[in-house]
């Protein structure tokens, strides 16, 4: 049964005093800040791929309620039915873009296996004890000549869109796979041939636009990182600007040598905004992208008409992380900007430098001119190797998640199993951690919470890696507004 067919279920729903429907999520980003309660549990991807532990990957339920007796503990695990999936990114069946849909609830997590192309659906009606509901087997995905699922976004009207990084053989091109409200494969979303490489994406429906980024073919990044692949042009450096309604690419922007391996894409949360950011991992730059002309009316944008002459999207590098010398490297170490997010009030940008070992906070009140506000060092090749409770870290800050009120920032330390083994081989033996910083939005500062440590190295089956984080009531990296 689809979530749209469960009108009596109120899981993941919020009262919307500002409008007359009661769908999932919040009416506005400001409502998410004001109406949300502090997070009490987190859903975190846990995986054993690339370790000596012969066990399936799992969805971890982490207690993040400081008043709870099980604070910072992994209180439940939903094991996948197969080994070797490489759980990576995941997302909700519904979010604030569907807040107009009565009866739809934010209840199911869609959890792909990056290596297996298997897609799992987990029911979170009991938030502390979710259950695996169904599985889409890889063969159903391969039928559409797609593989390697990555970003999961709910899109309006109950559908789910997943970026796919390869074809059925793990080569290029990638594309997008759509699921319907019953969690069945609805087919390829876009016409074939629109793009070659794919990775992350974000859409702004009010402006009829989507922006997607590039990593590489699965066969390129699965074995690990090789600089020869960069020199051969096998890694991405482009952003693609889509006509959201027509599902076609209207503009491709080559970021050049400064934009090698553009990964996470984030628009500002305001549905009126035409500003966003992408982190170029290898070049260790953050690019600001924006509509060159912001004079188009809302009706022109929503009509689906192509922009007038001169109304293009543009990019500029606005943050540069300088590479640093390290005794153990034969080249300067890049920061490797692997994740970034924007606070719900669109005031701050946070990003992680996985190799350097720092998390940065920038004031983006002027989106074109970010200003460094604060940063925290924890692990990596240059940070404190044991910043919390004397726990040695075998990794740097990686996947980020921010509380809806912008006052607590969490992160994990695994990037991708083969890349972990290449750059932080000890993590396979020690496991990942989840850490937290307290954020002061008023003063633009952060402080590491030395009492908070979720240790994925201490699990019954053995040390595990930890990747993406989600909140039950939505978060800064999944909710979109119309």
């Amino acid at each position: 049964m689809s979530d749209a067919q469960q009108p009596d279920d109120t899981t993941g729903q919020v009262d919307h005093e500002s409008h007359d429907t009661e769908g999932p999520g919040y009416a506005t980003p400001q409502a998410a800040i004001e109406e949300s309660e502090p997070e009490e549990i987190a859903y975190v991807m846990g995986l054993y791929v690339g370790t000596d532990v012969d066990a399936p990957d799992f969805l971890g339920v982490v207690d993040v309620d400081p008043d709870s007796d099980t604070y910072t503990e992994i209180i439940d695990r939903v094991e996948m039915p197969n080994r070797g999936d490489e759980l990576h990114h995941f997302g909700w069946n519904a979010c604030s873009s569907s807040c107009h849909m009565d009866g739809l609830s934010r209840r199911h997590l869609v959890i792909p296996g990056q290596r297996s192309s298997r897609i799992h659906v987990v029911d979170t009606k009991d938030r502390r004890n979710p259950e695996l509901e169904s599985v889409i087997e890889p063969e159903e995905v391969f039928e559409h000549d797609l593989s390697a699922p990555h970003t999961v976004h709910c899109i309006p009207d109950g559908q789910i869109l997943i970026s796919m990084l390869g074809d059925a053989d793990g080569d290029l091109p990638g594309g997008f796979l759509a699921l319907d409200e019953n969690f069945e494969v609805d087919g390829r979303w876009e016409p074939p041939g629109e793009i070659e490489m794919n990775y992350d994406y974000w859409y702004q429906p009010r402006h009829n636009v989507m922006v997607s980024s590039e990593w590489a073919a699965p066969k390129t990044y699965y074995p690990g990182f090789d600089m020869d692949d960069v020199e051969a042009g096998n890694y991405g450096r482009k952003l693609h600007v889509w006509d959201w309604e027509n599902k076609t690419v209207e503009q491709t922007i080559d970021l050049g040598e400064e934009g090698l391996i553009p990964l996470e894409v984030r628009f500002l949360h305001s549905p009126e905004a035409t500003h966003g950011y992408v982190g170029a991992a290898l070049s260790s730059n953050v690019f600001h992208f924006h509509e060159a002309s912001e004079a188009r009316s809302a009706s022109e944008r929503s009509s689906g008409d192509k922009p007038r002459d001169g109304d293009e999207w543009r990019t500029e590098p606005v943050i540069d992380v300088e590479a640093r010398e390290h005794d153990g490297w034969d080249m300067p170490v890049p920061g490797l900007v692997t994740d970034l997010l924007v606070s719900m009030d669109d005031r701050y940008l946070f990003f992680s430098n996985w190799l350097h070992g720092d998390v940065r906070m920038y004031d983006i009140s002027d989106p074109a001119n970010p200003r460094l506000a604060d940063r925290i060092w924890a692990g990596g090749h240059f940070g404190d190797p044991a910043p919390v409770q004397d726990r040695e870290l075998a990794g740097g800050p990686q996947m980020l998640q921010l509380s809806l009120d912008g006052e607590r920032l969490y992160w994990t330390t695994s990037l991708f199993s083969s890349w972990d083994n290449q750059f932080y081989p000890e993590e396979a033996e020690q496991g990942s951690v989840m850490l937290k910083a307290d954020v002061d939005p008023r003063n633009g500062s952060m402080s590491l919470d030395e009492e908070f440590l979720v240790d994925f190295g201490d699990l019954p089956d053995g040390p595990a890696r930890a990747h993406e984080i989600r909140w039950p009531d939505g978060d800064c990296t999944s909710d979109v507004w119309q």
Side-chain angles (χ1 to χ4, degrees):
M1 178 181 290
S2 76
D3 290 345
Q5 298 170 319
Q6 301 181 40
D8 294 330
D9 174 42
T10 58
T11 302
Q13 293 185 359
V14 177
D15 282 335
H16 302 306
E17 297 179 358
S18 58
H19 63 122
D20 58 1
T21 62
E22 291 199 7
Y26 302 90
T28 65
Q30 187 60 34
I33 297 170
E34 296 177 356
E35 298 173 10
S36 62
E37 298 292 332
E39 61 282 359
E40 295 183 350
I41 61 170
Y43 297 124
V44 183
M45 293 289 87
L47 56 147
Y48 285 113
V49 174
T51 74
D52 292 332
V53 178
D54 183 22
D57 298 348
F58 60 91
L59 169 69
V61 183
V62 178
D63 188 332
V64 294
D65 178 4
D67 295 325
S68 170
D69 292 338
T70 54
Y71 182 50
T72 71
E73 294 181 15
I74 301 170
I75 57 175
D76 192 26
R77 290 182 298 149
V78 181
E79 292 190 346
M80 300 302 109
N82 299 276
R83 289 165 170 76
D85 285 309
E86 182 116 4
L87 302 188
H88 193 62
H89 284 221
F90 65 127
W92 289 102
N93 67 294
C95 71
S96 296
S97 68
S98 298
C99 68
H100 59 287
M101 291 190 64
D102 290 324
L104 185 65
S105 63
R106 190 196 319 257
R107 172 171 161 175
H108 287 87
L109 285 168
V110 178
I111 305 175
Q114 229 292 309
R115 288 183 184 269
S116 68
S117 297
R118 191 174 285 111
I119 301 172
H120 312 85
V121 179
V122 171
D123 186 349
T124 69
K125 183 176 182 180
D126 183 343
R127 291 185 170 189
R128 297 174 69 89
N129 297 281
E131 296 183 352
L132 180 66
E133 182 173 293
S134 61
V135 178
I136 298 172
E137 294 297 338
E139 291 74 19
E140 296 181 62
V141 176
F142 298 156
E143 286 180 9
H144 303 279
D145 199 21
L146 293 169
S147 69
H150 190 267
T151 300
V152 178
H153 271 305
C154 53
I155 60 177
D157 303 325
Q159 288 190 312
I160 299 152
L161 187 62
I162 306 175
S163 64
M164 310 294 290
L165 276 54
D167 66 12
D169 297 319
D171 292 312
L172 297 176
F176 292 88
L177 186 73
L179 306 184
D180 65 21
E181 64 274 13
N182 296 310
F183 308 109
E184 295 177 354
V185 175
D186 197 37
R188 182 187 281 266
W189 177 75
E190 85 290 3
E194 288 295 309
I195 55 174
E196 282 289 305
M197 295 185 191
N198 201 7
Y199 183 71
D200 193 30
Y201 74 97
W202 196 284
Y203 67 99
Q204 283 283 64
R206 190 171 296 188
H207 299 288
N208 189 38
V209 67
M210 179 177 85
V211 174
S212 66
S213 60
E214 298 185 336
W215 191 6
K219 285 185 176 179
T220 298
Y221 65 81
Y222 276 177
F225 177 74
D226 188 336
M227 186 61 78
D228 289 343
D229 283 321
V230 178
E231 296 173 358
N234 295 332
Y235 277 99
R237 50 187 270 178
K238 298 175 183 177
L239 292 184
H240 304 283
V241 182
W242 296 71
D243 182 310
W244 174 246
E245 292 294 333
N246 291 330
K247 308 174 184 177
T248 54
V249 173
E250 299 301 310
Q251 182 183 356
T252 293
I253 303 172
D254 190 333
L255 302 177
E257 295 295 322
E258 291 184 298
L260 294 174
I261 313 185
L263 295 183
E264 309 300 334
V265 177
R266 307 285 183 249
F267 267 101
L268 299 189
H269 295 287
S270 168
E272 291 287 348
T274 57
H275 295 272
Y277 300 92
V278 62
L282 185 58
S283 300
S284 298
N285 290 331
V286 175
F287 279 76
H288 168 230
F289 60 82
H290 59 99
E291 194 174 23
S293 170
E294 298 183 45
R296 297 174 69 210
S297 68
S299 62
E300 285 178 306
R301 292 189 180 102
S302 62
S303 68
D305 292 341
K306 293 183 179 180
R308 299 185 299 266
D309 290 343
D311 285 343
E312 296 180 337
W313 290 76
R314 297 180 182 174
T315 62
E316 302 90 21
V318 290
I319 301 171
D320 178 29
V321 178
E322 292 188 8
R324 298 180 57 174
E325 298 291 337
H326 190 285
D327 290 341
W329 285 58
D330 57 5
M331 60 175 280
V333 182
L336 214 71
V337 178
T338 50
D339 194 22
L340 78 168
L341 60 78
V342 175
S343 62
M344 195 59 71
D345 62 1
D346 290 340
R347 181 172 177 192
Y348 292 107
L349 172 73
F350 298 83
F351 68 82
S352 56
N353 285 310
W354 186 60
L355 289 180
H356 281 186
D358 61 315
V359 177
R360 297 193 184 190
M361 175 183 185
Y362 281 78
D363 187 325
I364 54 170
S365 301
D366 178 356
N369 295 284
R371 179 182 60 82
L372 180 62
D374 205 356
R375 68 177 171 180
I376 288 176
W377 291 93
H381 289 286
F382 298 99
D384 186 343
V388 176
Q389 301 177 28
D390 296 324
R391 175 34 160 108
E392 289 281 342
L393 303 188
Q398 215 286 97
M399 292 306 299
L400 307 174
Q401 194 53 265
L402 185 68
S403 60
L404 291 174
D405 62 11
E407 296 183 1
R408 293 164 301 281
L409 180 72
Y410 302 78
W411 64 86
T412 55
T413 55
S414 170
L415 174 60
F416 194 72
S417 62
S418 51
W419 292 45
D420 291 349
N421 287 342
Q422 186 173 356
F423 295 105
Y424 294 110
E426 299 86 0
E427 186 164 63
E429 300 176 358
Q430 298 179 17
S432 296
V433 299
M434 178 175 168
L435 301 180
K436 167 180 169 282
D438 293 314
V439 181
D440 182 349
R442 181 183 295 259
N443 295 310
S445 62
M446 300 185 292
S447 60
L448 186 65
D449 183 349
E450 297 182 1
E451 302 301 316
F452 186 94
L453 171 66
V454 181
D455 193 346
F456 281 76
D458 185 21
L459 292 173
D461 290 329
R465 308 180 194 275
H467 199 67
E468 192 166 40
I469 306 167
R470 292 260 175 250
W471 310 131
D473 292 319
D475 49 64
C476 294
T477 58
S478 63
D479 276 55
V480 175
W481 279 267
Q482 294 199 72

